[in-house]
Amino acid sequence: QVPLVESGGGSVQAGGSLRLSCAASGIFDYRPYSMGWFRQALGTEREGVASIGDRGTTNYADSVKGRFTIYQDNAKKTLYLLMNSLKPEDTGMYYCAAEPFASCCSASSLWESKYNSWGQGTQVTVSS
């Protein structure tokens, strides 16, 4: 497992933006690797939001396509999730996940079972 620490959550009005960060110094030494953002609303199961591989390929859940962007800064060893046009249904705890030696980004890259390393989560609340 690799250590992951999320930050950047907060409260925002609908239509606003937030950028989440995930400090992930351990994963960038592996090739290949897969990283992802997941979210969990109260009373629901955790769902995959976006994923990215070591070569920069990405995959997004249909619900966030065109609004969210996942990207990484290898020099800073940090994963990001830029969230624009936020909606109340985007509210939830957001988690960063990583898996060394895993390719990306087929549909399975958004499956919780693909990842063994998880951060503690950061809360995002979108009000209408």
Side-chain angles (χ1 to χ4, degrees):
Q1 294 189 350
V2 296
L4 303 170
V5 181
E6 303 97 333
S7 60
S11 297
V12 64
Q13 289 191 329
S17 298
L18 282 174
R19 189 182 73 164
L20 306 183
S21 300
C22 175
S25 61
I27 193 66
F28 288 94
D29 295 331
Y30 294 93
R31 291 292 184 276
Y33 64 75
S34 182
M35 297 191 72
W37 285 99
F38 289 72
R39 67 186 180 190
Q40 187 171 22
L42 281 175
T44 69
E45 295 185 352
R46 192 153 52 182
E47 64 172 350
V49 174
S51 60
I52 189 167
D54 58 284
R55 297 188 177 188
T57 53
T58 59
N59 190 21
Y60 295 91
D62 289 342
S63 58
V64 307
K65 281 180 181 176
R67 299 189 299 121
F68 290 11
T69 302
I70 187 172
Y71 63 100
Q72 56 197 350
D73 186 327
N74 286 17
K76 294 183 178 180
K77 300 187 184 298
T78 301
L79 176 71
Y80 299 96
L81 184 68
L82 176 61
M83 306 184 292
N84 294 323
S85 302
L86 282 162
K87 304 175 181 180
E89 51 264 43
D90 294 318
T91 294
M93 186 70 77
Y94 282 70
Y95 299 89
C96 172
E99 185 63 23
F101 304 121
S103 59
C104 193
C105 291
S106 64
S108 66
S109 67
L110 296 181
W111 296 354
E112 185 177 358
S113 59
K114 184 179 177 74
Y115 300 91
N116 286 309
S117 296
W118 293 86
Q120 82 288 350
T122 185
Q123 178 68 35
V124 172
T125 303
V126 184
S127 58
S128 58

